[in-house]
Amino acid sequence: MIEPFSKAEWSRKSWVESANEAGCGFPMQSLPYCIFADEEGRARTGVGIGAFVLDLRWCRGAGLLDGLPGPLLAACEAKTLNALLGCGSVAHAGLRNRLMDLLDAEAEEATREAVGAALIAKETATLLKPVESANYTDFYASIHHATRVGRLFRPENPLLPNYKFVPIGYHGRASSVVVSGTPVRRPHGQTRPPEAGGEPAWGPTQFLDYEVEVGLYIGDGNPLGEPIGIRQAGEHIFGISLLNDWSARDMQVWESQPLGPFLAKSFATSVSAWVVPMAALAPFRYPLTLHHPDDPSPLKYLFDGWDQYGGAIDLTVGAWLLTSVMRAAGEAPHRLSEGSLMDLYWTPAQLVAHHTSNGCNLLPGDLLGTGTISGREDESAGCLLELTAGGKKPILLPNGETRGALEDGDEVILRGFCRREGFPDVSLGECRGVVVRAV
């Protein structure tokens, strides 16, 4: 069920002036969580506010969080967000309310001084991997992506008949999920023979690609054998993050027959350092709009009126490319595409409900990817496979370079934000990764 939001809450201002600036992306209503390293290199739990990171371990030690549940206080001193994610929605709401009160423009001077001692400039903070996910699942929830990719391989029948009935997904590799800024090594693998009956080739991928996605972090899990109903499924999502599902397309097309992705995906998945809680997205929830009147109705276990009414999220996501030549020349990254989370065929709640419908147990911190986010227009396609028609139509960059696939030294930058008139922007930050040569 989609919870209503308070307009009064979203009109509050903070005594942290940078949080009130238009377009800052980190207003007091957002409060995205992170893990950062202190001066001694120790991992600490933090919250983004304007141009700063608020040290929750410091807040706990200063008594600013007194009265909150013990497990929640302990989680504020942990080295990852996993314990915090597992504290439950009531505890999460209590912490959010406390932090907003501490940062409110009406807070007393003594409170401001105490909290001010726990603020670290964001540009000086070393952000670490926020969550250690035990499991990672990647979905295929964009119908435009599925159709456009299907058209490359099945021009006469691009969308398979099961797509509008079942949220398609596969189990990915959790151990190779890395935080933004981690270099991505070009992987080796097999590629299909140049002619029928020949032997496959082995070597570095020649078609390295990115995929613009959003990651969903699970809060409360479910016991093995007990599915999560669609009405409650959204409550099990703690927050969201940017996600880049790096893909070796030439390896993928060879090894995905007859099963799904394997080595073409498992070498790296990048996530942003910030986890934006679902409460921060409440004003940006809208009805699901992609379903055509002729489309089949979702099966009963995937249908909920509240989810259909407000389960979609109006989140803009985009990808930028910075080549080594552009970097050396001091040029700005070039935007490759921009899409919207509204272009998903399935809601986040439907993904959770389907994932657990067979009794599969999700754990706090588990990561679910939406799959590549692509819109109806070609310029909103979320990967090079789509933008270049499988590499056949390379992109011309402003400096004269072309790209049909990623080259060594290329940096892919994902950015995401929510925007609505009358409300402050909510940013997901950035997710970066530089491609380094194979070994």
Side-chain angles (χ1 to χ4, degrees):
M1 179 175 178
I2 307 302
E3 296 293 336
F5 63 91
S6 167
K7 290 186 177 180
E9 174 185 313
W10 281 83
S11 66
R12 295 170 71 177
K13 301 294 183 182
S14 175
W15 56 264
V16 180
E17 292 298 335
S18 59
N20 304 322
E21 296 175 0
C24 83
F26 284 54
M28 65 178 294
Q29 290 82 5
S30 179
L31 301 179
Y33 292 91
C34 70
I35 297 293
F36 69 99
D38 63 14
E39 295 178 352
E40 287 75 36
R42 297 171 299 187
R44 303 173 77 96
T45 303
V47 165
I49 175 69
F52 299 91
V53 177
L54 179 63
D55 187 338
L56 293 189
R57 184 184 183 91
W58 180 290
C59 290
R60 194 268 170 94
L64 297 171
L65 306 180
D66 286 355
L68 294 176
L72 181 66
L73 295 177
C76 290
E77 296 186 340
K79 297 180 180 180
T80 70
L81 296 179
N82 292 63
L84 177 64
L85 269 58
C87 284
S89 57
V90 174
H92 297 154
L95 177 58
R96 175 180 170 83
N97 291 336
R98 176 67 61 85
L99 293 175
M100 291 187 71
D101 288 343
L102 293 174
L103 295 164
D104 192 277
E106 302 299 321
E108 297 179 354
E109 186 62 32
T111 298
R112 298 187 186 193
E113 291 182 4
V115 176
L119 292 176
I120 298 96
K122 196 161 50 178
E123 66 267 17
T124 66
T126 300
L127 298 177
L128 307 176
K129 186 177 175 180
V131 180
E132 288 294 340
S133 300
N135 302 287
Y136 164 50
T137 302
D138 201 24
F139 282 93
Y140 198 50
S142 169
I143 192 170
H144 298 305
H145 172 66
T147 302
R148 197 178 282 112
V149 171
R151 193 175 291 124
L152 293 174
F153 302 101
R154 301 179 304 276
E156 302 302 321
N157 186 31
L159 197 66
L160 295 176
N162 65 343
Y163 189 87
K164 294 182 179 181
F165 286 96
V166 56
I168 304 297
Y170 69 93
H171 293 292
R173 184 70 186 175
S175 66
S176 54
V177 175
V178 297
V179 71
S180 172
T182 304
V184 175
R185 180 75 62 183
R186 182 178 296 273
H188 283 74
Q190 288 191 28
T191 54
R192 64 183 176 185
E195 56 186 33
E199 289 189 355
W202 165 262
T205 176
Q206 299 303 304
F207 195 167
L208 186 59
D209 199 359
Y210 66 89
E211 290 188 348
V212 180
E213 301 193 23
V214 165
L216 314 172
Y217 283 106
I218 296 299
D220 289 338
N222 60 299
L224 180 65
E226 298 184 15
I228 299 174
I230 181 63
R231 176 61 65 93
Q232 293 78 35
E235 299 172 8
H236 289 258
I237 303 172
F238 173 83
I240 69 173
S241 176
L242 292 170
L243 186 151
N244 185 344
D245 181 34
W246 302 91
S247 303
R249 300 301 189 186
D250 46 358
M251 293 163 54
Q252 183 179 357
V253 72
W254 171 243
E255 71 179 8
S256 294
Q257 303 174 23
L259 299 180
F262 186 38
L263 299 185
K265 297 278 193 175
S266 63
F267 60 96
T269 301
S270 299
V271 292
S272 53
W274 302 99
V275 180
V276 178
M278 296 304 290
L281 305 175
F284 312 104
R285 307 298 292 266
Y286 289 92
L288 191 63
T289 58
L290 274 187
H291 288 236
H292 189 273
D294 294 335
D295 286 351
S297 297
L299 299 185
K300 186 176 181 180
Y301 79 100
L302 291 173
F303 183 84
D304 175 67
W306 281 104
D307 185 54
Q308 294 289 305
Y309 178 75
I313 304 172
D314 187 7
L315 169 70
T316 299
V317 289
W320 281 255
L321 178 65
L322 183 64
T323 71
S324 56
V325 173
M326 295 165 63
R327 189 181 304 111
E331 298 175 357
H334 171 68
R335 190 179 74 183
L336 296 172
S337 65
E338 186 173 88
S340 172
L341 206 61
M342 292 288 289
D343 285 322
L344 297 187
Y345 194 78
W346 303 101
T347 68
Q350 287 176 316
L351 300 183
V352 172
H354 180 68
H355 200 315
T356 66
S357 62
N358 68 341
C360 174
N361 56 318
L362 298 178
L363 305 176
D366 278 0
L367 178 62
L368 278 59
T370 58
T372 305
I373 300 168
S374 298
R376 188 180 304 276
E377 305 300 326
D378 288 344
E379 57 267 24
S380 65
C383 62
L384 287 176
L385 180 65
E386 296 177 69
L387 289 172
T388 68
K392 298 175 182 177
K393 300 178 180 179
I395 295 171
L396 177 63
L397 302 177
N399 66 351
E401 292 184 275
T402 60
R403 284 295 183 275
L406 295 175
E407 297 185 6
D408 295 347
D410 286 351
E411 181 176 23
V412 178
I413 306 163
L414 307 187
R415 295 168 180 154
F417 64 89
C418 293
R419 179 169 294 158
R420 178 179 174 181
E421 186 176 354
F423 295 84
D425 290 358
V426 170
S427 172
L428 272 64
E430 292 185 335
C431 181
R432 291 174 172 258
V434 177
V435 178
V436 297
R437 64 181 181 85
V439 293

